[in-house]
Amino acid sequence: MANTNTTKDLNRTLKKGDLMSIAVGQIIGAGVMVMSIAALGMTGRSVNIAFVVAAVLTCFGALPSIFMGSTIRVMGGFYSQAAIFVGDQFAGYYSVIQIFASMSQAMFATGLVSYLGSLIPVISENQLVFSVIFYMAFFVLNWFGTAWMAKVQTFMFYLLIIALVMFTVFGVPKVQWAGYFGNELFGEPLFTNGISGLLEAASYLTFATGGATVIVSFSAEAVNPTKDIPVVIIASTVGVAVLYAFMSSCIGGILPASEVMAAGNLSVIAKMIMPAPCYYFFIICGACFALGTTLNSSIASAVKPLFAAAADGWFPPVFARLNKHKVPYAWLMMFAIVNVAAIVSGMNISMMGKLVLFIGNINSVFLIVGIMKLPKLFPEAWAKSPFHVSNTML
C-alpha cells in the first residue's frame, strides 16, 4: 500500500439505482421516524404543513447541487465543492467542522434502538449498549467497501418503502379528517405555537426532507455522476416529500400529540392501526431500516470529503490511506470514536439534530453563493449541462 491515496483510487461502481437507494435511505430516517416527534411538539398536528414547507425549501436548496452535479464530477464531494467554488481556506475549515457534524450518526443509531426496543424489552432496558452495538455493525459493513454498503442499502431500501407505504395505507383512513384543520380536534389548536412554531418546525425539518444531496459525496465512485446525480436528487426529494405529507398527517391526526410525544416514536400509532404481523414488519423494515439506511449512507458519505481533504494535506497522512477495500479506514475509526462518545454521553436527540442543522446551514450559505462561479470556472461544461440556465437565473 502506498503511503497515501487520492480519490482517483476509488472504484467507480455506483449506478443510478445505487445512488437512488442511498439518497432515499439518507432522506428517510431520523426525519419522519425521530425528528417528526420533536416537530410535533413545536407546531402540533400542523406538522404535515411543516413538512410540505420544509420540502419546498429543500428543493430550492438543492438547486446549486443539481447545477454543479450536472456539470462536473466533484471527486471529493462537498469538500471539493468548497475548495473549487469558495477557496482552500474555507475547504479546510469545512473539513474540520464535518468531524463534529458527523455526530448526527449517533442520533440515527439511538433512534433505531428506540424502535427495536418497543419489540424486544431487553434492548429497551439496555439502550446505550445496543446503540453502540448497532453503530459498530454498520461501521463494520462500511469497512468492506462501497459496493457491499450499496448492496445492503438497496436490500433495506425496498423493504423500507413497502413498510412506509403500508403505514400510510393503514393510517390515512384512521386520520380524523373532519376536524383536522380546525381548532377543536383533541382539544388542541392546529398551530400549537402559532406561525412562529410552524416556521421553527419547518426549518428543523429541512434536515429531515434534505439528504439527497449527500450523493454528491459519491461522485468519485459513480459510473455517470453528471447524468445520474441531478436526476436522483430531484426524484428522491419529490418522491419522499409526497410520502411524508401523508405520513405526517397520520402522525398528527390519529392520536393527541401528547400521547405520541410521550411514546417518543411512531410505534404507538403503528400498533393502533395495524394488525400484529404488519406492525412487526413496520417496526423492523420501516422504522429500523429507515434509520439503518440513513446511518449506513451517513457513514459512507462522511468519509469521502474528509479523505479528499487529507489527500490535500489538511490532516496527517494516515487519514489519506485506503484499506484493501478502497475505504478510508482512519476516518471510519475517527467517526466511531466521536459517535460512540456521543451515544454514551446521552446527548439529547433533538438538540443534536438542531446542532448539526445549524452548522450545516452556515456552511451551505458559502457553498451556495460559490456556485455562481460555475459559468466562469467551467464555461464549456456548464453550457452543455441539461440544467443550464442563464447567468441571471443562476
Side-chain angles (χ1 to χ4, degrees):
M1 180 183 293
N3 289 333
T4 60
N5 300 96
T6 70
T7 51
K8 293 181 180 179
D9 296 316
L10 299 172
N11 295 324
R12 297 181 180 180
T13 58
L14 299 178
K15 299 179 181 179
K16 185 181 294 182
D18 300 316
L19 294 171
M20 181 65 75
S21 65
I22 292 171
V24 173
Q26 179 69 21
I27 300 171
I28 299 176
V32 74
M33 294 299 172
V34 177
M35 298 178 76
S36 61
I37 308 300
L40 191 65
M42 296 174 191
T43 192
R45 64 179 179 279
S46 55
V47 64
N48 57 354
I49 300 175
F51 262 117
V52 172
V53 174
V56 172
L57 294 174
T58 298
C59 287
F60 277 106
L63 283 175
S65 293
I66 292 171
F67 291 149
M68 179 191 67
S70 67
T71 306
I72 58 173
R73 180 193 290 266
V74 279
M75 298 296 288
F78 291 115
Y79 165 77
S80 293
Q81 180 181 345
I84 294 169
F85 295 101
V86 183
D88 291 339
Q89 296 299 320
F90 178 78
Y93 149 80
Y94 175 85
S95 61
V96 173
I97 290 297
Q98 288 307 107
I99 297 175
F100 300 99
S102 72
M103 285 192 298
S104 62
Q105 296 168 14
M107 176 173 63
F108 308 140
T110 55
L112 188 159
V113 169
S114 173
Y115 277 99
L116 198 57
S118 65
L119 289 182
I120 307 173
V122 68
I123 291 180
S124 180
E125 295 165 4
N126 300 277
Q127 187 165 348
L128 288 181
V129 174
F130 280 96
S131 294
V132 172
I133 290 174
F134 277 100
Y135 181 88
M136 294 307 297
F138 283 100
F139 164 87
V140 172
L141 171 63
N142 277 272
W143 185 275
F144 290 99
T146 302
W148 274 104
M149 167 266 175
K151 289 178 181 178
V152 174
Q153 185 83 354
T154 301
F155 170 75
M156 291 192 292
F157 163 75
Y158 286 117
L159 293 178
L160 166 63
I161 294 300
I162 293 172
L164 297 190
V165 170
M166 186 173 66
F167 177 89
T168 304
V169 169
F170 278 105
V172 167
K174 300 288 198 317
V175 175
Q176 300 185 44
W177 294 108
Y180 193 103
F181 294 102
N183 290 316
E184 298 78 29
L185 184 61
F186 306 130
E188 301 170 351
L190 176 61
F191 302 98
T192 303
N193 295 305
I195 296 301
S196 63
L198 174 68
L199 294 177
E200 180 187 8
S203 176
Y204 180 64
L205 291 173
T206 55
F207 182 81
T209 53
T213 54
V214 73
I215 60 173
V216 171
S217 295
F218 293 93
S219 292
E221 295 166 290
V223 174
N224 194 348
T226 55
K227 179 180 178 181
D228 294 342
I229 285 179
V231 173
V232 169
I233 290 175
I234 295 170
S236 60
T237 301
V238 173
V240 172
V242 172
L243 181 60
Y244 273 3
F246 287 104
M247 288 191 69
S248 55
S249 297
C250 300
I251 295 170
I254 295 177
L255 291 173
S258 58
E259 292 186 26
V260 180
M261 292 171 62
N265 55 52
L266 303 186
S267 63
V268 63
I269 299 176
K271 195 169 187 177
M272 176 182 176
I273 64 175
M274 295 178 175
C278 295
Y279 168 71
Y280 295 136
F281 181 83
F282 172 76
I283 293 298
I284 296 173
C285 297
C288 293
F289 279 14
L291 290 153
T293 53
T294 303
L295 176 57
N296 190 33
S297 60
S298 293
I299 294 174
S301 63
V303 300
K304 303 304 188 302
L306 290 171
F307 168 63
D312 284 347
W314 287 104
F315 299 97
V318 66
F319 290 101
R321 295 174 185 167
L322 301 172
N323 64 16
K324 65 179 181 180
H325 305 290
K326 303 294 185 180
V327 174
Y329 62 91
W331 282 118
L332 276 184
M333 296 170 67
M334 172 67 77
F335 290 148
I337 293 171
V338 170
N339 283 279
V340 168
I343 292 170
V344 173
S345 68
M347 185 177 290
N348 180 273
I349 286 179
S350 176
M351 200 65 195
M352 193 183 302
K354 288 182 178 180
L355 174 63
V356 173
L357 178 65
F358 176 73
I359 295 172
N361 281 347
I362 290 176
N363 292 337
S364 293
V365 170
F366 293 95
L367 294 176
I368 289 172
V369 172
I371 292 294
M372 289 191 292
K373 298 179 182 178
L374 192 62
K376 180 180 179 181
L377 295 177
F378 304 97
E380 295 182 7
W382 171 236
K384 296 177 182 178
S385 168
F387 293 91
H388 179 270
V389 295
S390 68
N391 289 351
T392 302
M393 181 64 71
L394 178 62

